[in-house]
Amino acid sequence: MTERSIPQHVAIIMDGNGRWAQARGKKRTSGHKVGVEKARETVEIAGKLGVESLTLFAFSSENWQRPEEEVSFLMELFVVALKREVKMLNKHGVRLRFLGDTTAFNKKLQQSIAEAEELTANNDKLRLNVAANYGGRWDIVNSVNQFITEHQGKKAITEAELEANLSTSQLPNLDLLIRTGGETRISNFLIWQAAYAELFFTDVLWPDFGQAEFEKAVESYSSRQRRFGKTGEQVDAK
Ligand code: FPP
């Protein structure tokens, strides 16, 4: 058996919390609570597998449109989860970073985010990136705007220059993008970064995600030949 290759950077769209709860006659918010537990478990699995960078889509720019009650529940849940988990993450060498426009969050959450990022800034075992108030189009526009500010008068931007200001610029290239919950779209997640990523869609709802499904995604990634536009023969000859 050939050795499986471990993706350096995995991103996950954690979908299906609401449906998971509703199927059990519970409120959608109880699905989010289990969702947080699953996120924690997934960080552990990623670390054990040897993944270098894990990016979780926690809250999209579009999620503000959910009922007010659900949005405030999520904000409070993030604060509590951060406070509860950050020490453990730090102990295990996890470097936590938030991707997205976090200035839109309430002061309490912004403060917890800043403290967690600062505390874990020098860790290097696993990079955990939480995309919050994140949108792929926002990321691209934000990068271009930074470029314009820094290079007044320049008439064009290169791919490398655009990439340099994306929120993921310090991270390895995205290798594998997983979406749970049965939908087969990227939903404005890492749209630039996903250009050459392998995509893995599963019907499993996020609260049911675990080691077995994560391993399935890695197996699937490992079995595919990544050609980056070249022919199969060119890749084999390398
Ligand atoms: C997706 O399920 C869940 C969200 C968009 C909410 C936030 C994610 C969590 C609570 C997981 C925790 C993550 C971290 C890093 C703290 P959905 O509500 O879209 O489910 P549905 O499609 O069944 O309605």
Side-chain angles (χ1 to χ4, degrees), residues 105-195:
F105 293 133
N106 64 48
K107 287 277 168 277
K108 197 160 70 164
L109 183 49
Q110 285 190 51
Q111 201 180 336
S112 309
I113 289 174
E115 284 168 11
E117 287 187 336
E118 204 184 307
L119 180 71
T120 62
N122 296 317
N123 295 340
D124 59 6
K125 168 88 178 71
L126 170 72
R127 301 191 65 137
L128 172 61
N129 316 295
V130 176
N133 197 22
Y134 177 88
R137 291 180 177 176
W138 166 85
D139 206 359
I140 295 168
V141 169
N142 192 47
S143 164
V144 173
N145 283 336
Q146 275 191 55
F147 180 82
I148 293 170
T149 310
E150 289 160 14
H151 301 88
Q152 305 276 335
K154 262 209 175 180
K155 294 237 163 24
I157 185 169
T158 65
E159 288 189 12
E161 285 165 338
L162 196 149
E163 252 173 17
N165 286 324
L166 288 175
S167 58
T168 48
S169 64
Q170 306 300 315
L171 304 174
N173 284 335
L174 181 61
D175 295 316
L176 173 63
L177 173 62
I178 300 171
R179 181 175 188 145
T180 63
E183 310 285 0
T184 48
R185 7 171 222 275
I186 298 186
S187 296
N188 197 22
F189 193 25
L190 301 160
I191 50 177
W192 174 284
Q193 296 84 342

